[in-house]
Protein backbone atom coordinates (compact mmCIF):
# COMPACT_ATOMS: atom_id res chain seq x y z
CA UNK A 1 0.00 0.00 0.00
CA UNK A 2 1.54 3.27 -1.13
CA UNK A 3 0.86 6.95 -0.67
CA UNK A 4 -1.94 6.67 1.88
CA UNK A 5 -3.43 10.04 2.64
CA UNK A 6 -5.46 8.84 5.58
CA UNK A 7 -6.18 5.88 7.86
CA UNK A 8 -8.98 5.88 10.39
CA UNK A 9 -10.78 3.99 13.13
CA UNK A 10 -14.54 4.52 13.32
CA UNK A 11 -16.10 4.28 16.77
CA UNK A 12 -19.12 2.58 15.22
CA UNK A 13 -19.93 1.18 11.81
CA UNK A 14 -22.31 3.85 10.54
CA UNK A 15 -19.79 6.50 11.52
CA UNK A 16 -17.14 4.57 9.64
CA UNK A 17 -19.21 4.54 6.44
CA UNK A 18 -19.84 8.26 6.93
CA UNK A 19 -16.08 8.83 6.61
CA UNK A 20 -15.84 6.52 3.62
CA UNK A 21 -18.60 8.42 1.85
CA UNK A 22 -16.95 11.79 2.48
CA UNK A 23 -13.63 10.55 1.09
CA UNK A 24 -15.17 8.90 -1.98
CA UNK A 25 -17.17 12.04 -2.77
CA UNK A 26 -13.88 13.93 -2.60
CA UNK A 27 -12.20 11.61 -5.08
CA UNK A 28 -10.23 9.50 -2.57
CA UNK A 29 -10.70 5.72 -3.14
CA UNK A 30 -11.39 4.15 0.24
CA UNK A 31 -11.91 0.71 1.76
CA UNK A 32 -13.39 0.00 5.19
CA UNK A 33 -12.38 -3.24 6.91
CA UNK A 34 -14.64 -4.86 9.49
CA UNK A 35 -11.64 -6.20 11.40
CA UNK A 36 -7.88 -5.96 11.10
CA UNK A 37 -7.09 -7.56 7.72
CA UNK A 38 -4.16 -9.71 6.72
CA UNK A 39 -1.65 -8.50 4.13
CA UNK A 40 -3.35 -10.40 1.30
CA UNK A 41 -6.68 -8.70 1.92
CA UNK A 42 -5.07 -5.26 2.13
CA UNK A 43 -3.37 -5.96 -1.20
CA UNK A 44 -6.79 -6.49 -2.82
CA UNK A 45 -7.41 -2.79 -2.28
CA UNK A 46 -3.97 -1.50 -3.22
CA UNK A 47 -5.56 1.23 -5.36
CA UNK A 48 -7.10 2.88 -2.30
CA UNK A 49 -5.59 6.02 -0.78
CA UNK A 50 -7.50 5.69 2.49
CA UNK A 51 -8.06 2.69 4.75
CA UNK A 52 -10.60 2.47 7.54
CA UNK A 53 -11.16 0.05 10.40
CA UNK A 54 -14.71 -0.21 11.70
CA UNK A 55 -14.96 -0.43 15.46
CA UNK A 56 -17.41 -0.46 18.33
CA UNK A 57 -15.70 1.84 20.84
CA UNK A 58 -18.67 4.22 20.97
CA UNK A 59 -20.49 1.61 23.06
CA UNK A 60 -17.49 0.25 24.96
CA UNK A 61 -15.86 0.92 28.32
CA UNK A 62 -12.48 2.56 28.90
CA UNK A 63 -11.18 -0.83 30.06
CA UNK A 64 -12.15 -2.35 26.70
CA UNK A 65 -10.47 0.55 24.94
CA UNK A 66 -7.20 0.00 26.79
CA UNK A 67 -6.70 -3.27 24.95
CA UNK A 68 -8.64 -3.03 21.71
CA UNK A 69 -7.98 0.60 20.77
CA UNK A 70 -4.31 0.27 21.59
CA UNK A 71 -4.03 -2.67 19.20
CA UNK A 72 -6.07 -0.96 16.49
CA UNK A 73 -4.08 2.28 16.64
CA UNK A 74 -0.81 0.35 16.59
CA UNK A 75 -1.88 -1.42 13.40
CA UNK A 76 -3.08 1.80 11.78
CA UNK A 77 0.25 3.43 12.63
CA UNK A 78 2.06 0.75 10.57
CA UNK A 79 0.20 1.95 7.46
CA UNK A 80 2.17 5.23 7.58
CA UNK A 81 -0.73 7.33 6.36
CA UNK A 82 -0.20 11.10 6.50
CA UNK A 83 -3.14 11.41 8.92
CA UNK A 84 -4.61 8.81 11.28
CA UNK A 85 -8.12 9.76 12.38
CA UNK A 86 -10.09 8.47 15.38
CA UNK A 87 -13.61 9.09 14.13
CA UNK A 88 -16.34 9.99 16.63
CA UNK A 89 -19.97 10.83 16.12
CA UNK A 90 -20.66 14.41 15.12
CA UNK A 91 -23.02 14.69 18.10
CA UNK A 92 -20.03 13.86 20.37
CA UNK A 93 -22.18 11.81 22.72
CA UNK A 94 -19.93 9.95 25.14
CA UNK A 95 -19.37 9.57 28.85
CA UNK A 96 -16.62 8.67 31.33
CA UNK A 97 -17.86 5.06 31.38
CA UNK A 98 -19.18 4.46 27.82
CA UNK A 99 -17.53 5.58 24.58
CA UNK A 100 -15.05 7.83 26.39
CA UNK A 101 -13.52 10.11 23.76
CA UNK A 102 -11.14 11.36 26.42
CA UNK A 103 -9.74 7.87 26.98
CA UNK A 104 -9.43 7.30 23.23
CA UNK A 105 -7.38 10.49 22.92
CA UNK A 106 -5.10 9.37 25.76
CA UNK A 107 -4.47 6.05 24.00
CA UNK A 108 -3.88 7.69 20.62
CA UNK A 109 -1.38 10.17 22.08
CA UNK A 110 0.53 7.30 23.61
CA UNK A 111 0.62 5.07 20.53
CA UNK A 112 1.64 7.93 18.22
CA UNK A 113 3.96 9.53 20.78
CA UNK A 114 2.25 12.83 20.07
CA UNK A 115 1.93 15.67 22.57
CA UNK A 116 -0.95 17.63 21.01
CA UNK A 117 -4.01 16.14 19.31
CA UNK A 118 -6.14 18.31 16.99
CA UNK A 119 -9.89 17.89 17.51
CA UNK A 120 -12.52 18.94 14.97
CA UNK A 121 -16.25 18.18 15.32
CA UNK A 122 -18.16 20.69 13.20
CA UNK A 123 -19.44 19.34 9.86
CA UNK A 124 -21.79 21.68 8.00
CA UNK A 125 -22.48 18.88 5.51
CA UNK A 126 -24.18 17.03 8.38
CA UNK A 127 -25.67 20.18 9.92
CA UNK A 128 -23.26 20.10 12.85
CA UNK A 129 -21.52 23.31 13.93
CA UNK A 130 -19.10 24.38 16.64
CA UNK A 131 -18.88 28.01 17.75
CA UNK A 132 -16.55 29.14 20.53
CA UNK A 133 -16.28 25.56 21.67
CA UNK A 134 -20.02 24.83 21.81
CA UNK A 135 -21.70 22.20 19.61
CA UNK A 136 -24.95 22.79 17.72
CA UNK A 137 -26.93 20.25 15.68
CA UNK A 138 -30.02 20.25 13.49
CA UNK A 139 -33.19 18.28 14.10
CA UNK A 140 -36.10 18.39 11.66
CA UNK A 141 -34.85 21.61 10.05
CA UNK A 142 -34.35 23.41 13.35
CA UNK A 143 -31.04 24.03 15.11
CA UNK A 144 -30.28 23.31 18.75
CA UNK A 145 -27.39 23.59 21.14
CA UNK A 146 -26.52 19.94 21.75
CA UNK A 147 -27.56 20.01 25.42
CA UNK A 148 -31.00 21.21 24.30
CA UNK A 149 -31.28 18.88 21.32
CA UNK A 150 -34.62 17.00 21.44
CA UNK A 151 -32.90 13.65 20.87
CA UNK A 152 -29.22 13.80 21.86
CA UNK A 153 -29.86 15.53 25.19
CA UNK A 154 -31.98 12.46 26.04
CA UNK A 155 -29.82 9.74 24.52
CA UNK A 156 -30.59 6.55 26.48
CA UNK A 157 -26.92 5.64 27.02
CA UNK A 158 -24.86 8.82 26.65
CA UNK A 159 -27.09 11.89 26.99
CA UNK A 160 -25.40 15.15 26.02
CA UNK A 161 -26.00 17.54 28.92
CA UNK A 162 -23.05 19.85 28.14
CA UNK A 163 -22.55 21.77 24.89
CA UNK A 164 -19.04 23.07 25.70
CA UNK A 165 -17.01 20.23 24.24
CA UNK A 166 -13.88 20.89 26.28
CA UNK A 167 -15.87 20.89 29.52
CA UNK A 168 -17.56 17.70 28.35
CA UNK A 169 -14.12 16.14 27.72
CA UNK A 170 -12.81 17.29 31.10
CA UNK A 171 -15.17 14.75 32.69
CA UNK A 172 -13.43 11.98 30.74
CA UNK A 173 -9.76 12.92 30.93
CA UNK A 174 -7.32 15.10 32.83
CA UNK A 175 -5.57 16.13 29.61
CA UNK A 176 -5.21 19.86 29.06
CA UNK A 177 -7.14 21.53 26.27
CA UNK A 178 -7.27 24.68 24.20
CA UNK A 179 -9.47 26.23 21.52
CA UNK A 180 -8.89 27.87 18.16
CA UNK A 181 -12.18 29.75 18.05
CA UNK A 182 -13.99 31.17 15.05
CA UNK A 183 -12.63 34.67 15.44
CA UNK A 184 -9.03 33.42 15.69
CA UNK A 185 -9.49 30.94 12.86
CA UNK A 186 -10.63 33.69 10.50
CA UNK A 187 -7.88 36.10 11.51
CA UNK A 188 -4.46 36.60 9.93
CA UNK A 189 -2.86 35.08 13.03
CA UNK A 190 -4.64 31.70 12.91
CA UNK A 191 -1.49 29.70 12.08
CA UNK A 192 0.45 31.45 14.81
CA UNK A 193 -2.32 30.77 17.34
CA UNK A 194 -2.58 27.12 16.28
CA UNK A 195 1.19 26.63 16.48
CA UNK A 196 1.34 28.34 19.84
CA UNK A 197 -1.09 25.83 21.33
CA UNK A 198 0.91 22.95 19.85
CA UNK A 199 4.22 24.38 21.04
CA UNK A 200 2.87 24.72 24.57
CA UNK A 201 2.09 21.01 24.50
CA UNK A 202 -1.65 21.58 24.87
CA UNK A 203 -2.95 18.02 24.89
CA UNK A 204 -6.21 18.61 22.99
CA UNK A 205 -6.64 21.46 20.49
CA UNK A 206 -10.26 21.97 19.43
CA UNK A 207 -10.78 23.89 16.18
CA UNK A 208 -14.15 25.57 15.59
CA UNK A 209 -16.08 25.01 12.35
CA UNK A 210 -19.34 26.76 11.55
CA UNK A 211 -19.25 27.00 7.75
CA UNK A 212 -17.56 25.64 4.65
CA UNK A 213 -15.15 28.58 4.81
CA UNK A 214 -13.99 27.92 8.37
CA UNK A 215 -13.91 24.20 7.60
CA UNK A 216 -11.42 24.81 4.80
CA UNK A 217 -9.27 26.95 7.09
CA UNK A 218 -9.30 24.25 9.76
CA UNK A 219 -8.27 21.64 7.20
CA UNK A 220 -5.40 23.82 6.04
CA UNK A 221 -4.03 24.07 9.59
CA UNK A 222 -4.38 20.37 10.41
CA UNK A 223 -2.69 19.35 7.15
CA UNK A 224 0.09 21.91 7.56
CA UNK A 225 0.85 20.70 11.09
CA UNK A 226 1.10 17.00 10.22
CA UNK A 227 4.23 15.14 11.32
CA UNK A 228 6.48 12.82 9.29
CA UNK A 229 5.22 9.27 9.67
CA UNK A 230 1.66 10.37 10.37
CA UNK A 231 -0.28 12.56 12.78
CA UNK A 232 -3.11 11.43 15.05
CA UNK A 233 -6.29 13.53 14.99
CA UNK A 234 -9.76 13.14 16.51
CA UNK A 235 -13.17 14.27 15.35
CA UNK A 236 -16.23 13.71 13.21
CA UNK A 237 -16.22 13.23 9.45
CA UNK A 238 -15.75 16.99 9.47
CA UNK A 239 -12.04 16.03 9.56
CA UNK A 240 -12.34 14.49 6.10
CA UNK A 241 -14.39 17.33 4.67
CA UNK A 242 -11.85 19.83 6.02
CA UNK A 243 -8.86 17.92 4.67
CA UNK A 244 -10.53 17.38 1.31
CA UNK A 245 -10.96 21.11 0.89
CA UNK A 246 -7.21 21.48 1.39
CA UNK A 247 -6.31 18.49 -0.78
CA UNK A 248 -8.40 19.76 -3.68
CA UNK A 249 -7.07 23.30 -3.26
CA UNK A 250 -3.47 22.08 -3.32
CA UNK A 251 -4.03 19.60 -6.16
CA UNK A 252 -3.31 16.61 -3.93
CA UNK A 253 -6.54 14.97 -5.14
CA UNK A 254 -9.03 15.65 -7.91
CA UNK A 255 -12.66 15.59 -6.87
CA UNK A 256 -14.05 13.61 -9.79
CA UNK A 257 -16.28 10.96 -8.24
CA UNK A 258 -18.35 8.91 -10.64
CA UNK A 259 -21.31 6.92 -9.38
CA UNK A 260 -23.94 5.22 -11.51
CA UNK A 261 -27.47 4.89 -10.07
CA UNK A 262 -28.02 1.36 -8.77
CA UNK A 263 -31.61 1.05 -9.95
CA UNK A 264 -34.53 -0.35 -7.97
CA UNK A 265 -34.47 -3.66 -6.09
CA UNK A 266 -37.50 -5.92 -6.37
CA UNK A 267 -37.47 -6.41 -2.58
CA UNK A 268 -35.15 -5.66 0.32
CA UNK A 269 -34.85 -6.63 3.98
CA UNK A 270 -34.25 -4.12 6.76
CA UNK A 271 -33.24 -4.95 10.34
CA UNK A 272 -33.38 -2.19 12.95
CA UNK A 273 -32.09 -2.06 16.49
CA UNK A 274 -32.65 1.70 16.74
CA UNK A 275 -35.01 3.41 19.20
CA UNK A 276 -34.62 6.79 17.51
CA UNK A 277 -37.73 8.83 16.61
CA UNK A 278 -36.13 9.35 13.19
CA UNK A 279 -36.00 5.60 12.60
CA UNK A 280 -39.52 5.30 13.96
CA UNK A 281 -40.80 7.69 11.30
CA UNK A 282 -38.86 5.79 8.64
CA UNK A 283 -40.36 2.48 9.70
CA UNK A 284 -43.88 3.90 9.85
CA UNK A 285 -43.46 5.40 6.40
CA UNK A 286 -42.15 2.11 5.02
CA UNK A 287 -45.22 0.29 6.36
CA UNK A 288 -47.40 2.59 4.23
CA UNK A 289 -45.20 2.06 1.18
CA UNK A 290 -45.06 -1.63 0.43
CA UNK A 291 -43.09 -2.97 3.39
CA UNK A 292 -44.30 -5.55 5.87
CA UNK A 293 -43.34 -4.89 9.47
CA UNK A 294 -42.21 -7.63 11.85
CA UNK A 295 -41.62 -6.84 15.49
CA UNK A 296 -38.76 -8.77 17.13
CA UNK A 297 -38.72 -8.95 20.92
CA UNK A 298 -35.28 -7.59 21.93
CA UNK A 299 -35.34 -9.22 25.37
CA UNK A 300 -36.11 -12.63 23.87
CA UNK A 301 -33.40 -12.04 21.27
CA UNK A 302 -30.73 -11.82 23.99
CA UNK A 303 -32.13 -14.65 26.10
CA UNK A 304 -31.46 -18.37 26.03
CA UNK A 305 -34.46 -18.58 23.70
CA UNK A 306 -32.81 -16.35 21.09
CA UNK A 307 -32.73 -19.21 18.58
CA UNK A 308 -36.52 -19.47 18.73
CA UNK A 309 -36.91 -15.70 18.29
CA UNK A 310 -34.62 -15.71 15.25
CA UNK A 311 -36.41 -18.72 13.75
CA UNK A 312 -39.85 -17.08 14.10
CA UNK A 313 -38.64 -13.78 12.67
CA UNK A 314 -36.92 -15.56 9.79
CA UNK A 315 -40.11 -17.45 8.98
CA UNK A 316 -42.15 -14.25 9.03
CA UNK A 317 -39.60 -12.46 6.87
CA UNK A 318 -39.49 -15.36 4.46
CA UNK A 319 -43.26 -15.22 3.98
CA UNK A 320 -43.16 -11.52 3.11
CA UNK A 321 -40.19 -11.80 0.78
CA UNK A 322 -41.59 -14.83 -1.02
CA UNK A 323 -44.76 -12.82 -1.58
CA UNK A 324 -42.61 -10.21 -3.33
CA UNK A 325 -42.80 -7.64 -0.55
CA UNK A 326 -39.97 -5.88 1.25
CA UNK A 327 -39.75 -6.33 4.98
CA UNK A 328 -38.53 -4.36 8.00
CA UNK A 329 -37.77 -6.32 11.17
CA UNK A 330 -37.43 -4.05 14.21
CA UNK A 331 -36.79 -4.36 17.94
CA UNK A 332 -38.38 -1.00 18.80
CA UNK A 333 -40.73 1.50 17.25
CA UNK A 334 -39.46 4.75 18.69
CA UNK A 335 -38.33 5.89 22.15
CA UNK A 336 -41.57 4.81 23.81
CA UNK A 337 -40.73 1.20 22.95
CA UNK A 338 -37.16 1.35 24.27
CA UNK A 339 -36.46 -1.62 26.56
CA UNK A 340 -32.89 -0.66 27.27
CA UNK A 341 -33.36 -0.98 31.01
CA UNK A 342 -34.24 -4.66 30.67
CA UNK A 343 -31.55 -5.28 28.06
CA UNK A 344 -28.76 -3.70 30.09
CA UNK A 345 -29.32 -6.04 33.03
CA UNK A 346 -27.32 -8.58 31.04
CA UNK A 347 -23.66 -7.77 30.37
CA UNK A 348 -22.89 -7.54 26.66
CA UNK A 349 -26.56 -7.75 25.77
CA UNK A 350 -26.52 -4.92 23.25
CA UNK A 351 -23.74 -6.63 21.32
CA UNK A 352 -25.71 -9.88 21.41
CA UNK A 353 -28.75 -8.02 20.11
CA UNK A 354 -26.77 -6.78 17.12
CA UNK A 355 -25.40 -10.25 16.44
CA UNK A 356 -28.91 -11.71 16.60
CA UNK A 357 -30.18 -9.22 14.02
CA UNK A 358 -27.14 -10.01 11.87
CA UNK A 359 -27.87 -13.74 12.06
CA UNK A 360 -31.46 -13.05 11.06
CA UNK A 361 -30.45 -10.85 8.13
CA UNK A 362 -27.80 -13.32 6.96
CA UNK A 363 -30.35 -16.14 6.88
CA UNK A 364 -32.84 -14.11 4.84
CA UNK A 365 -30.15 -12.78 2.50
CA UNK A 366 -28.76 -16.21 1.66
CA UNK A 367 -32.08 -18.05 1.52
CA UNK A 368 -33.91 -15.40 -0.51
CA UNK A 369 -30.87 -14.40 -2.59
CA UNK A 370 -31.32 -10.75 -1.71
CA UNK A 371 -29.23 -8.18 -3.54
CA UNK A 372 -29.78 -5.24 -1.19
CA UNK A 373 -30.32 -4.89 2.59
CA UNK A 374 -30.34 -2.21 5.30
CA UNK A 375 -29.13 -2.22 8.91
CA UNK A 376 -30.40 0.61 11.12
CA UNK A 377 -28.73 1.56 14.38
CA UNK A 378 -25.13 2.64 14.88
CA UNK A 379 -24.48 0.29 17.78
CA UNK A 380 -26.30 -2.52 15.96
CA UNK A 381 -24.51 -2.34 12.63
CA UNK A 382 -20.99 -3.41 13.60
CA UNK A 383 -22.12 -6.56 15.35
CA UNK A 384 -24.71 -7.38 12.70
CA UNK A 385 -22.27 -7.21 9.79
CA UNK A 386 -19.69 -9.21 11.68
CA UNK A 387 -22.28 -11.94 12.13
CA UNK A 388 -23.08 -11.83 8.41
CA UNK A 389 -19.49 -12.55 7.45
CA UNK A 390 -18.69 -9.20 5.84
CA UNK A 391 -14.93 -8.54 5.64
CA UNK A 392 -14.88 -5.08 4.03
CA UNK A 393 -17.06 -2.38 2.49
CA UNK A 394 -16.65 0.03 -0.38
CA UNK A 395 -19.05 2.77 -1.52
CA UNK A 396 -21.62 1.90 -4.18
CA UNK A 397 -23.52 5.19 -4.17
CA UNK A 398 -23.80 8.16 -1.80
CA UNK A 399 -27.29 9.19 -0.73
CA UNK A 400 -27.56 12.94 -1.38
CA UNK A 401 -30.71 13.23 0.75
CA UNK A 402 -29.08 11.36 3.64
CA UNK A 403 -25.42 12.37 3.89
CA UNK A 404 -23.33 10.08 6.04
CA UNK A 405 -25.19 6.89 5.13
CA UNK A 406 -24.15 5.63 1.68
CA UNK A 407 -25.17 2.47 -0.12
CA UNK A 408 -22.14 0.15 0.13
CA UNK A 409 -20.87 -3.04 -1.44
CA UNK A 410 -19.95 -5.92 0.88
CA UNK A 411 -16.78 -7.92 0.27
CA UNK A 412 -16.86 -11.35 1.87
CA UNK A 413 -15.43 -14.85 1.72
CA UNK A 414 -19.07 -16.00 1.89
CA UNK A 415 -20.16 -16.27 -1.73
CA UNK A 416 -23.79 -15.31 -1.11
CA UNK A 417 -22.73 -12.19 0.82
CA UNK A 418 -19.91 -11.05 -1.50
CA UNK A 419 -21.23 -8.22 -3.69
CA UNK A 420 -24.32 -7.62 -1.52
CA UNK A 421 -25.43 -3.97 -1.47
CA UNK A 422 -25.72 -2.78 2.13
CA UNK A 423 -26.96 0.52 3.54
CA UNK A 424 -26.11 1.33 7.15
CA UNK A 425 -27.72 4.20 9.01
CA UNK A 426 -27.41 5.68 12.44
CA UNK A 427 -30.53 6.41 14.40
CA UNK A 428 -30.69 10.12 13.52
CA UNK A 429 -29.81 9.75 9.83
CA UNK A 430 -32.11 9.98 6.84
CA UNK A 431 -35.41 11.34 5.62
CA UNK A 432 -38.72 9.63 6.32
CA UNK A 433 -38.42 7.87 2.93
CA UNK A 434 -35.01 6.38 3.68
CA UNK A 435 -35.95 2.69 3.48
CA UNK A 436 -38.18 3.26 0.47
CA UNK A 437 -35.45 5.23 -1.27
CA UNK A 438 -32.97 2.39 -0.80
CA UNK A 439 -35.45 -0.07 -2.28
CA UNK A 440 -36.31 2.24 -5.15
CA UNK A 441 -32.72 2.94 -6.18
CA UNK A 442 -32.24 6.19 -4.20
CA UNK A 443 -34.93 8.07 -6.11
CA UNK A 444 -36.44 10.99 -4.25
Amino acid sequence: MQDLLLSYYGDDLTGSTDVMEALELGGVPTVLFMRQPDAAMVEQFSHCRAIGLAGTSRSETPQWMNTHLSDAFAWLKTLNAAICHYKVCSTFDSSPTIGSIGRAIEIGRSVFAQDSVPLLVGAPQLKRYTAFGHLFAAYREKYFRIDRHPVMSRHPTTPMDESDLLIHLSRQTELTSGLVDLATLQSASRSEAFDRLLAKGTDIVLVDVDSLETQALAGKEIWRARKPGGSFVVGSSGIEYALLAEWVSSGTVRAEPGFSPPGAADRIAVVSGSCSPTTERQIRHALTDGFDGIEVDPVELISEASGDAIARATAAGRASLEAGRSVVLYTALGPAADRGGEIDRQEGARHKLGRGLGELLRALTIEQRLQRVVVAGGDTSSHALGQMGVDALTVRMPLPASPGSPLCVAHSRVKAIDGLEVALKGGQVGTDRYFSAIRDGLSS
Side-chain angles (χ1 to χ4, degrees):
M1 189 66 62
Q2 296 181 349
D3 195 24
L4 278 182
L5 289 170
L6 184 135
S7 64
Y8 70 96
Y9 178 100
D11 68 351
D12 70 5
L13 183 52
T14 55
S16 301
T17 57
D18 175 17
V19 169
M20 184 166 60
E21 178 185 54
L23 289 165
E24 287 278 359
L25 282 169
V28 179
T30 304
V31 60
L32 173 65
F33 293 109
M34 298 299 101
R35 62 196 66 82
Q36 185 174 320
D38 57 27
M41 182 168 289
V42 173
E43 184 60 28
Q44 292 180 35
F45 301 93
S46 59
H47 65 286
C48 291
R49 299 194 70 190
I51 288 180
L53 187 60
T56 60
S57 57
R58 184 180 179 189
S59 59
E60 306 287 3
T61 66
Q63 292 72 30
W64 181 96
M65 291 180 174
N66 290 341
T67 299
H68 295 83
L69 274 191
S70 296
D71 291 346
F73 290 162
W75 178 74
L76 289 170
K77 190 173 187 293
T78 68
L79 298 177
N80 295 315
I83 297 286
C84 181
H85 174 201
Y86 178 69
K87 196 276 178 187
V88 303
C89 184
S90 60
T91 51
F92 216 70
D93 51 306
S94 54
S95 78
T97 57
I98 295 293
S100 172
I101 297 170
R103 183 60 189 134
I105 294 174
E106 291 170 354
I107 295 169
R109 286 180 73 246
S110 175
V111 170
F112 282 82
Q114 184 173 313
D115 291 333
S116 297
V117 176
L119 170 66
L120 188 153
V121 182
Q125 294 83 353
L126 305 179
K127 298 183 179 180
R128 307 287 192 261
Y129 312 90
T130 50
F132 298 93
H134 290 262
L135 176 60
F136 299 81
Y139 178 72
R140 295 181 71 79
E141 304 307 319
K142 293 185 179 180
Y143 297 86
F144 299 87
R145 207 173 69 186
I146 200 68
D147 58 343
R148 297 176 181 175
H149 192 277
V151 176
M152 298 316 301
S153 65
R154 305 168 189 170
H155 190 284
T157 307
T158 49
M160 285 296 288
D161 59 2
E162 175 57 65
S163 65
D164 188 315
L165 297 185
L166 297 183
I167 291 179
H168 182 69
L169 275 178
S170 71
R171 301 169 178 171
Q172 303 174 17
T173 179
E174 295 182 359
L175 294 175
T176 62
S177 62
L179 172 66
V180 179
D181 61 37
L182 291 176
T184 303
L185 187 62
Q186 296 175 89
S187 72
S189 61
R190 68 173 177 274
S191 294
E192 179 183 345
F194 189 76
D195 290 346
R196 187 163 53 247
L197 286 170
L198 299 182
K200 286 169 55 180
T202 306
D203 299 329
I204 303 169
V205 179
L206 174 63
V207 184
D208 268 343
V209 168
D210 74 335
S211 64
L212 297 181
E213 291 74 21
T214 53
Q215 187 177 69
L217 294 173
K220 187 177 293 293
E221 294 306 314
I222 291 173
W223 185 243
R224 181 185 61 80
R226 71 190 186 281
K227 304 292 185 184
S231 290
F232 179 71
V233 303
V234 176
S236 70
S237 59
I239 290 278
E240 279 68 34
Y241 288 112
L243 289 171
L244 282 164
E246 174 60 18
W247 292 340
V248 171
S249 174
S250 65
T252 303
V253 300
R254 294 183 179 182
E256 298 177 351
F259 301 100
S260 58
D266 59 344
R267 64 220 165 109
I268 70 170
V270 178
V271 294
S272 172
S274 170
C275 299
S276 161
T278 301
T279 305
E280 177 187 5
R281 292 196 305 274
Q282 291 161 344
I283 294 173
R284 292 189 185 281
H285 182 278
L287 299 184
T288 69
D289 193 25
F291 284 74
D292 288 343
I294 299 169
E295 185 174 359
V296 182
D297 187 331
V299 175
E300 186 179 11
L301 197 58
I302 63 171
S303 72
E304 293 182 357
S306 59
D308 295 336
I310 292 170
R312 286 198 308 274
T314 300
R318 178 189 305 121
S320 294
L321 292 165
E322 287 182 345
R325 294 172 64 81
S326 294
V327 62
V328 53
L329 303 104
Y330 56 90
T331 59
L333 196 55
D338 182 13
R339 298 177 69 183
E342 296 173 76
I343 292 169
D344 289 337
R345 291 172 189 164
Q346 182 183 140
E347 186 176 355
R350 291 184 182 269
H351 297 353
K352 187 175 181 180
L353 181 66
R355 291 193 297 270
L357 290 174
E359 184 176 341
L360 169 57
L361 186 56
R362 175 186 169 119
L364 290 174
T365 298
I366 294 175
E367 179 186 302
Q368 297 296 312
R369 298 181 180 179
L370 299 178
Q371 301 299 308
R372 190 176 300 164
V373 300
V374 182
V375 182
D379 295 340
T380 302
S381 299
S382 299
H383 303 289
L385 257 63
Q387 194 71 21
M388 290 179 71
V390 175
D391 296 317
L393 295 172
T394 52
V395 170
R396 172 64 179 86
M397 182 80 183
L399 279 64
S402 304
S405 182
L407 183 64
C408 300
V409 175
H411 302 269
S412 174
R413 296 178 177 89
V414 180
K415 186 176 180 181
I417 301 297
D418 191 49
L420 178 69
E421 293 180 345
V422 185
L424 307 147
K425 67 161 235 83
Q428 304 309 312
V429 172
T431 65
D432 291 357
R433 284 201 77 253
Y434 182 88
F435 299 140
S436 298
I438 295 293
R439 178 197 61 194
D440 298 340
L442 316 184
S443 60
S444 60

